[in-house]
Each structure stands twice: as C-alpha cells, then as structure tokens.
Amino acid sequence: MPSESAERILEAATRLFGERGYPSTSMRDIGEAVGLLAGSLYSHISSKEAVLLQIIETGLDRYLGALLPIVESDQPADERLRAAVKAHVELVASHVEESLVALHQWKFLGGENRQRIEAKRHAGSAAFARVLAECIESGVFKPVPSPDITISGILGTLNWVPEWYSPKGPATPEEIGEQLADLLLGGLLASPPADDGPKPRPKANSSKSR
Amino acid sequence: MPSESAERILEAATRLFGERGYPSTSMRDIGEAVGLLAGSLYSHISSKEAVLLQIIETGLDRYLGALLPIVESDQPADERLRAAVKAHVELVASHVEESLVALHQWKFLGGENRQRIEAKRHAGSAAFARVLAECIESGVFKPVPSPDITISGILGTLNWVPEWYSPKGPATPEEIGEQLADLLLGGLLASPPADDGPKPRPKANSSKSR
DNA sequence: CCTACCGATCGGTAGG
DNA sequence: CCTACCGATCGGTAGG
C-alpha cells in the first residue's frame, strides 16, 4: 500500500533524478513537483537515499524478471540472445528515466544498499554471458578472443539507448530492438565471406549497391 | 602558460568529477587534493564551471583531432569506419576519467557553454554517420532501416567503454578496439547465410576469422 | 595562498 | 501536512 502520495513522490523523483542526477535534486525540488514542502515528504518516505534505492531496485527487479526467463528458456542459444537483446531495448525504452537512474545514480548509494544493487546488476550481465558462451559452444557464433569484451560491447549498445531514445522519435522500441539485434548478431558487412543461399531472415537485400 | 598549479587543479578535478560527478565534488575536495584551501583555488581558476568546461573541451578537441582526419582520409569507407572505431576506443581507454566527465557531466554546463560542447559532440557523431552512409552507398555494408539507430548503437558500444575499462585489466586498448570493431562490423554469427566459397572482396586485414 | 567571512541551500526533525 | 528550525556545507570574495 504505497499510499498514492508515496507513489507520486517516487514518480517525481525518478524524473528529477534522471534529468539532473541525484545529488543536484533537492528534497525541495521533489516537494515542489508533488505540491508539498520538503519536510512534509518525510511522512511518506524515510530518506532521500531510500527513494533512490527503491527506484533502482524496482527497475532492476522488473528487468531481471523479464530477462532471466528468456535466457533460461529451451530455445536455441542464438534465439535466446536475440530475444534478450530485444527485451533489454524494449524495457529501457519504455522506462527511460528509471533506466537512467538505475544505470548512473547507483554510485550514490551507501555501502550495503550499493552492494545489493551491484549484485543484481551482475546477475543481468552474467545471464548475457552464459547465453553468449552457449552460442559459441554450439558453433552458431564465431569464437571471440574475450567473451567479456563482447558482453561489455553488447551491453554498451543496449545501455546507451536511454541516452538517445525518445518516445516522440520515429522508431518504436520494437523496431529499435530488432535493428540493434541485427547489428550485434549480424554485423554491418554485406558479405563477410559470400552471400547467397538460404537466408535465415528476410532483411533488406543482399548485393544491390546503389 | 597554465602555471602548473592550474594543471594540477585540472587533473584533480578530472579525477574527482569522473568519480563522484560534478555536483557532489566541492571546491574544498579539489583543494584538498592539491593541498590548497578552497578559496585559494580562485587564484588559478575563475570558477568551478570553468574547470568543468575546460576538461570537457580539451577532451573533445583531442577526440575530434584524431577522428576527423581518419574519417576524411581517402581510404575505403569500411576501412575508415574500422579505423574510427578503433581510434575512439583507444582514446577513451587512455583517458577514462576525462571521458566519463565529457560523456556525463556536460549536463551541468550553463546555456552557452553547453551549446558549444553539444555542437562539438554532434560533429563527432555526424562524422560517424557520414562514413556509415558511404559504406552503405558503396555496397560494402548492408542497408539498414535507420542509419541513425545504427550510429547510436555503435556509439553506445564505444561510449560505454569508460564504464568498464581498466588499465589494470588483461586486455590492451588496441585489443579491445580490434574486438569491438569485429563485433560491430562482422557481427557474432558464424555464418550469416553461408560461409564458404570464394571471397569476393580483396580486403587487407578484415577479420582474421578466428 | 591564507584568514575570515558572506548569503544561500542542504537533508532532516520537533511539535503540533 | 505545515511552521519553524537545526547544524552542516556550498561556491565564492575581501583584504591582506
């Protein structure tokens, strides 16, 4: 029972923390956004850091709740990776401000809160790493010198989405997820070695330049 | 003649702004790092924001100075893109703290300072967009539904590097740049459609197809 | 480069 | 949920 007032405080704080960052958002800013004085906020929340923690943890739990079932399903590994990429994009695009907070403001959590959040962040990237390893083991993916670097590269593309995505833009989260999955799985080159034969996916065209 | 004291202030501020962010770094923090009191800093710098501006602009100028000659060279477009990706990675990896400041703390610049920085940031991504367009026009790259999305995806991978790279890690910036270029240009799949037969393209390095 | 200080603002609380 | 307030800290300055 978050009492509605508490929910409105969380929503306002999410937007303000995402826009200006945690340290430069004052309790007076949050109060103004919800029509209360700074001191009155403490009837609904226990501290500024508790608000930050709840924003981040809510977002991370929703993210892991979507990601882990995909990664642990019984589909082929490369399809699981593609689905995970798309799910990641669609989640951060539909929660841009919350994602910005979760990705950048966790540094301002104190000791134990920060450790719990870091563990959950690690669970997400570890899930990506497992499915990548299975993709390589099965021979569907090329081996790479360092799987960790590949994972960081993929997560970079995905975690950067909240920096530029706008719901007012021309592309839907689904379209963005699809195109970024194509980029990461298929690359940009038209013909790594050669290009004809059965196409697994119906994309664009092969070799008609200009 | 930045007077050495000014240089030491810039260096300390780069590290502190990168670690804690601009708003939660006080002039007293910076003073402590260089062995001065907060008030004494103002003999060497004009304001806190001027320090932030100089850190960001120095980094961006170095970045554009490395990137633009590569993008505008007369090599084939796909080789220019590969070289640009590698240069980007190597620059941010060799200036991690400065890159973190340039990528995230520019939001705290006021009106006109912020506009000038945004223009320079745009110059970098526009250069990437031009070379990507040429890669597609020449037929070396597959067409994509939205080149903007592809550029944002690439820059995400590259701009995320300062979040995880450590000079104490096992991989050198060169190795990381090479592997991320392979990821973005060649993708992860071992065989997009089919993978044998004659190579239609006489590329010097491409990927050593591990 | 320090002493000494300015007004403003911070997160949070007491008491109603 | 407000009034009234706490001690701490902020960026920056005057004067030497």
Side-chain angles (χ1 to χ4, degrees):
Chain A
M1 239 55 52
S3 86
E4 199 207 341
S5 287
E7 271 183 30
R8 292 183 59 237
I9 292 170
L10 265 289
E11 284 171 24
T14 301
R15 182 172 48 79
L16 291 167
F17 291 170
E19 286 170 2
R20 324 178 182 177
Y22 175 77
S24 40
T25 299
S26 71
M27 298 308 287
R28 287 155 179 87
D29 293 332
I30 299 173
E32 192 174 2
V34 300
L36 295 180
L37 292 180
S40 307
L41 296 171
Y42 290 85
S43 301
H44 305 97
I45 55 112
S46 60
S47 72
K48 190 187 180 189
E49 181 170 334
V51 173
L52 176 62
L53 177 63
Q54 188 170 344
I55 292 168
I56 296 177
E57 193 149 37
T58 299
L60 268 177
D61 287 344
R62 187 192 316 107
Y63 171 72
L64 292 176
L67 184 72
L68 296 183
I70 290 172
V71 167
E72 291 160 1
S73 80
D74 56 1
Q75 290 188 295
D78 62 318
E79 289 179 27
R80 277 180 282 144
L81 184 66
R82 171 173 285 271
V85 165
K86 293 179 64 175
H88 189 126
V89 170
E90 287 162 28
L91 272 172
V92 298
S94 53
H95 303 273
V96 170
E97 302 288 7
E98 181 190 85
S99 300
L100 288 171
V101 176
L103 287 167
H104 296 298
Q105 307 302 315
W106 58 268
K107 296 164 195 167
F108 302 105
L109 291 172
E112 43 192 69
N113 288 337
R114 181 167 163 166
Q115 283 185 335
R116 193 164 80 255
I117 293 303
E118 279 174 348
K120 292 195 178 185
R121 283 171 60 88
H122 179 75
S125 63
F128 267 95
R130 283 198 304 277
V131 62
L132 174 67
E134 293 175 48
C135 287
I136 294 173
E137 280 168 26
S138 69
V140 184
F141 281 10
K142 302 172 262 198
V144 291
S146 163
D148 283 349
I149 291 175
T150 295
I151 290 298
S152 297
I154 293 172
L155 292 178
T157 292
L158 305 183
N159 288 338
W160 199 249
V161 169
E163 306 281 343
W164 56 268
Y165 171 75
S166 162
K168 285 179 282 193
T172 65
E174 288 76 15
E175 290 166 341
I176 294 169
E178 186 74 28
Q179 190 175 332
L180 292 181
D182 287 345
L183 168 66
L184 295 169
L185 273 69
L188 292 163
L189 286 169
S191 51
D195 192 347
D196 53 293
K199 299 203 73 155
R201 285 186 313 102
K203 276 317 295 292
N205 183 327
S206 49
S207 60
K208 92 158 190 187
S209 57
R210 219 173 329 236
Chain B
M1 235 57 50
S3 85
E4 201 207 341
S5 287
E7 270 183 32
R8 293 183 60 237
I9 292 170
L10 264 289
E11 284 171 25
T14 301
R15 181 172 48 80
L16 291 167
F17 290 170
E19 286 171 1
R20 323 178 182 176
Y22 176 77
S24 40
T25 299
S26 71
M27 297 308 287
R28 286 155 180 86
D29 293 332
I30 298 173
E32 193 174 0
V34 299
L36 296 179
L37 292 181
S40 306
L41 296 171
Y42 290 86
S43 302
H44 305 97
I45 54 114
S46 61
S47 72
K48 190 186 180 189
E49 181 171 332
V51 173
L52 176 62
L53 176 63
Q54 188 170 343
I55 293 168
I56 296 177
E57 194 148 35
T58 298
L60 269 176
D61 286 344
R62 187 193 315 108
Y63 171 71
L64 292 176
L67 184 72
L68 296 184
I70 290 172
V71 167
E72 292 160 0
S73 80
D74 57 0
Q75 291 188 293
D78 62 318
E79 289 180 25
R80 278 181 282 145
L81 184 67
R82 172 175 284 270
V85 165
K86 292 179 64 175
H88 190 126
V89 170
E90 287 163 28
L91 272 171
V92 300
S94 54
H95 303 274
V96 170
E97 302 288 9
E98 180 191 84
S99 300
L100 288 171
V101 176
L103 288 167
H104 296 299
Q105 308 300 315
W106 58 268
K107 296 165 194 167
F108 301 105
L109 291 172
E112 43 193 70
N113 288 337
R114 181 165 162 168
Q115 283 184 336
R116 192 163 80 253
I117 293 303
E118 280 174 348
K120 292 195 178 185
R121 282 169 62 87
H122 180 74
S125 62
F128 266 96
R130 283 198 304 277
V131 64
L132 174 67
E134 293 175 48
C135 288
I136 294 173
E137 281 168 26
S138 70
V140 184
F141 281 11
K142 302 172 261 197
V144 291
S146 162
D148 284 348
I149 291 175
T150 296
I151 290 299
S152 296
I154 293 171
L155 292 178
T157 292
L158 305 183
N159 288 338
W160 200 249
V161 169
E163 306 281 343
W164 57 268
Y165 171 76
S166 162
K168 286 178 281 194
T172 66
E174 288 75 16
E175 291 166 341
I176 294 168
E178 186 74 29
Q179 189 176 332
L180 292 181
D182 286 345
L183 168 65
L184 295 169
L185 274 68
L188 292 163
L189 287 168
S191 51
D195 192 347
D196 52 292
K199 299 191 81 146
R201 287 192 331 123
K203 272 303 301 303
N205 73 352
S206 148
S207 63
K208 286 154 234 157
S209 35
R210 293 157 251 269

